[in-house]
Amino acid sequence: MAEVTRRGVLAGAAALGGAAAGLGLPGTATAAAARTGAPGAVTVRPDDTRYASLTGRGSNARFVGAPDYVRVASSAREVVDAVQQAVDEGRRIAVRSGGHCFEDFVDDPSVKALIDLSPMASVSYDTRRRAFAVEPGALLGEVYQRLFLGWGVTVPAGATAEVGVGGHVLGGGYGALSRRYGLSVDHLYAVEVVVVDGRGRASSVVATREPDDPHRDLWWAHTGGGGGNFGVVTRYWFRSPGTKGSDPARLLPRAPASVLTFSASWSWKDLDRRSFTRLVGNHGGWHEHNSAPGSPYTDLFSLLMLNHRESGTIELVGQVHSPGADAQRLVDDYVAAVGAGVRARPTRTVVNRPWLLAAAAVQESEPALFKAKAAYLRQCFTDRQLGVLHEHLSAEAGGAVDGAVWLVSYGGQVNAVVPGETAVAQRDSVLKAIYLTTWQNPDAARSALGWVRDLYRDMYADTGGVPVPGAVSDGSFVNYPDTDLADPDLNTSGTPWHTLYYKQHYPRLQRIKARWDPRNEFHHALSIRPPR
């Protein structure tokens, strides 16, 4: 998403989206060498000068792995060979494309063979499948540019240019165009995956959404099942459902010509408890009433950044994809609705920008120390939750904190899809909430983690400290993984972590896991478990 800063958690969130795979929190550019003239598979060991760059490029500086080696792969064949070698040697496998995992799934100390997919960055049109082929190492900024300049089309996905497609799509990537066009996986036609069978043999499989495809269950698992579960994705194909013909320009959504970007900023010194809760309540209420599929407001996407009081301001930033005067009217009505009844008046900006400049404009900082937690909202926070937010984000919580809560627009066309059509189970939410903290000094980790965990627990105190699906909440987002959800000391709800992420889809995902990864070669702290 935007760069997480040292004061107020965020500075310069001029564009929006999801990556991580999701919002693209602090991160680092991928090791995107060999975009052309790839040298073939490269094995990098700890005594190699490239080792530190490859193992240290994850976005979360809390975690740096120490694998026995890194295999830098340039093709599906090289990935098959890399997986086969690791299986034969009994080494635990992890895979990295963009490097935006929030937890230590790639950098776990038990990972001994790291497969780096950053050279696999091709974006092309496949005439045989009538679909756009995108390799997992391609960065979102590159994907947008190539699709737009080549055919005038796009895929609804995140706003951080340096996020890799690989993990972003797997969890159901979303972004500024999702309220209009749905999730990236809603346009996923096929996937190529390197899997390992029960005999320990690696092979490459292509699975499509065609009803008669015997591998269709593997395609379905990659429409929101999350990364590190079934195998290694080496290629995606995108084509919107229901499209016909062979003209590539008609097989994915058309990109807008331009977008109207806007911001509104309220000073914390002008906000008392009543004004704060009114503002956040207005924002949630607006999304409750303007996030149905087909609403004229699905062209509007925004992020409300509830920064800690120490940052000085609360920021609302967004984009509208409608042309001309309609866009300005939508923005004016929206900002007025959010600020209704709030005495403080915001400082506002509005800028019209060409779409490609705005599509993936957020550039990233160096890797940072941070913790993120998340939740889906079906409706506005309760009055009690609004009070908890104010308590923890205001000076009343005590001490200076680099923390924030982000509320991201959701719904619209996302909610037009029946849950079972993809592995994304949450199809009636209107907002995503992200709870964040960052710190510079490693000695501050305990207090920072304590702050965000206390906030999250208090927000969901009525349901055991986690967002159990119900009237207000609907679990959490697998692309913002949070191992706390599997900790019985932090999740006392009796609802397991996998229900929070996958809900009713988890048993089906387990069956697919048993078929395609029967040896459980691909696993991590929150991976799908084979059925007993």
Side-chain angles (χ1 to χ4, degrees):
M1 179 49 238
E3 173 185 346
V4 170
T5 63
R6 310 306 178 194
R7 190 56 67 195
V9 179
L10 175 101
L16 305 159
L23 281 174
L25 274 160
T28 177
T30 61
R35 290 295 194 223
T36 59
V42 174
T43 300
V44 176
R45 300 186 185 278
D47 59 352
D48 193 304
T49 55
R50 296 167 288 184
Y51 184 83
S53 295
L54 289 168
T55 57
R57 71 180 187 86
S59 66
N60 197 336
R62 293 172 62 199
F63 313 114
V64 178
D68 294 343
Y69 58 80
V70 182
R71 286 287 294 272
V72 184
S74 300
S75 69
R77 179 69 258 174
E78 291 173 7
V79 174
V80 171
D81 293 342
V83 170
Q84 189 64 66
Q85 178 183 346
V87 171
D88 291 344
E89 295 172 347
R91 301 180 196 270
R92 180 173 166 185
I93 303 166
V95 183
R96 175 173 280 152
S97 54
H100 290 81
C101 185
F102 288 1
E103 292 286 1
D104 70 344
F105 300 166
V106 176
D107 298 307
D108 189 290
S110 65
V111 170
K112 301 303 179 185
L114 174 59
I115 302 174
D116 190 297
L117 304 178
S118 55
M120 298 179 65
S122 172
V123 179
S124 62
Y125 178 68
D126 183 335
T127 56
R128 185 168 70 88
R129 288 195 168 89
R130 295 192 305 112
F132 293 90
V134 180
E135 290 185 324
L139 309 181
L140 290 180
E142 297 171 342
V143 174
Y144 294 148
Q145 182 182 51
R146 295 177 195 177
L147 291 178
F148 182 66
L149 296 182
W151 300 276
V153 299
T154 191
V155 172
T160 301
E162 295 169 348
V163 164
V165 171
H168 180 72
V169 172
L170 284 175
Y174 75 104
L177 286 171
S178 288
R179 281 167 59 86
R180 179 195 274 193
Y181 293 133
L183 304 176
S184 56
V185 295
D186 297 339
H187 303 267
L188 183 64
Y189 173 72
V191 61
E192 179 182 67
V193 191
V194 175
V195 296
V196 179
D197 66 20
R199 298 174 298 166
R201 308 313 300 170
S203 63
S204 180
V205 177
V206 173
T208 77
R209 68 173 179 234
E210 296 295 341
D212 59 351
D213 187 339
H215 303 150
R216 192 178 191 276
D217 62 341
L218 187 62
W219 165 83
W220 185 86
H222 286 82
T223 62
N229 284 307
F230 308 99
V232 184
V233 173
T234 52
R235 187 175 286 105
Y236 295 106
W237 285 269
F238 293 96
R239 184 193 344 134
S240 298
T243 54
K244 298 180 180 180
S246 58
D247 181 357
R250 297 179 179 273
L251 300 179
L252 279 178
R254 299 294 296 176
S258 63
V259 299
L260 191 69
T261 63
F262 65 91
S263 69
S265 176
W266 290 266
S267 174
W268 256 109
K269 65 181 178 62
D270 297 328
L271 295 172
D272 57 14
R273 186 182 189 280
R274 179 186 176 279
S275 294
F276 173 90
T277 57
R278 180 67 180 264
L279 188 151
V280 181
N282 287 345
H283 176 265
W286 184 93
H287 280 83
E288 280 186 50
H289 295 99
N290 294 282
S291 298
S295 165
Y297 283 97
T298 56
D299 277 339
L300 186 151
F301 179 86
S302 75
L303 167 64
L304 179 62
M305 296 174 286
L306 304 175
N307 303 317
H308 192 273
R309 181 182 288 273
E310 289 290 317
S311 73
T313 59
I314 287 174
E315 308 283 343
L316 178 67
V317 297
Q319 301 178 4
V320 177
H321 307 98
S322 300
D326 284 346
Q328 185 65 59
R329 178 183 57 79
L330 291 176
V331 170
D332 291 342
D333 291 349
Y334 176 52
V335 175
V338 172
V342 179
R343 292 183 180 179
R345 291 291 178 262
T347 301
R348 293 184 56 185
T349 66
V350 178
V351 179
N352 196 66
R353 306 175 69 195
W355 176 79
L356 191 58
L357 290 179
V362 181
Q363 302 296 320
E364 297 182 332
S365 66
E366 293 297 313
L369 300 163
F370 73 91
K371 173 67 176 179
K373 304 170 76 67
Y376 284 97
L377 277 77
R378 283 173 157 155
Q379 60 185 52
C380 179
F381 288 126
T382 66
D383 289 344
R384 185 196 69 79
Q385 288 177 311
L386 293 173
V388 169
L389 279 175
H390 183 263
E391 176 187 351
H392 284 267
L393 291 171
S394 70
E396 296 170 21
V401 174
D402 274 351
V405 177
W406 293 352
L407 298 175
V408 189
S409 294
Y410 204 60
Q413 190 62 26
V414 173
N415 294 348
V417 177
V418 176
E421 291 185 12
T422 70
V424 176
Q426 292 85 359
R427 290 290 186 169
D428 62 0
S429 294
V430 299
L431 287 165
K432 283 186 180 180
I434 304 117
Y435 302 81
L436 307 164
T437 186
T438 186
W439 58 97
Q440 293 186 71
N441 188 335
D443 293 338
R446 182 174 180 178
S447 61
L449 290 169
W451 179 84
V452 75
R453 284 169 173 160
D454 287 347
L455 166 59
Y456 196 77
R457 181 199 63 223
D458 290 351
M459 285 295 291
Y460 303 104
D462 297 335
T463 52
V466 297
V468 174
V472 176
S473 302
D474 199 20
S476 191
F477 180 37
V478 71
N479 264 4
Y480 302 155
D482 176 13
T483 56
D484 291 352
L485 298 182
D487 186 336
D489 292 331
L490 299 173
N491 175 3
T492 61
S493 68
T495 301
W497 64 266
H498 50 78
T499 298
L500 297 173
Y501 287 125
Y502 301 115
K503 299 173 61 178
Q504 72 276 13
H505 291 165
Y506 189 64
R508 181 177 178 184
L509 290 166
Q510 286 185 291
R511 293 192 295 273
I512 298 170
K513 172 77 169 180
R515 178 185 178 189
W516 292 103
D517 185 23
R519 295 160 54 99
N520 199 26
E521 294 288 350
F522 303 98
H523 62 274
H524 51 73
L526 295 178
S527 61
I528 293 165
R529 312 296 198 249
R532 292 182 180 179

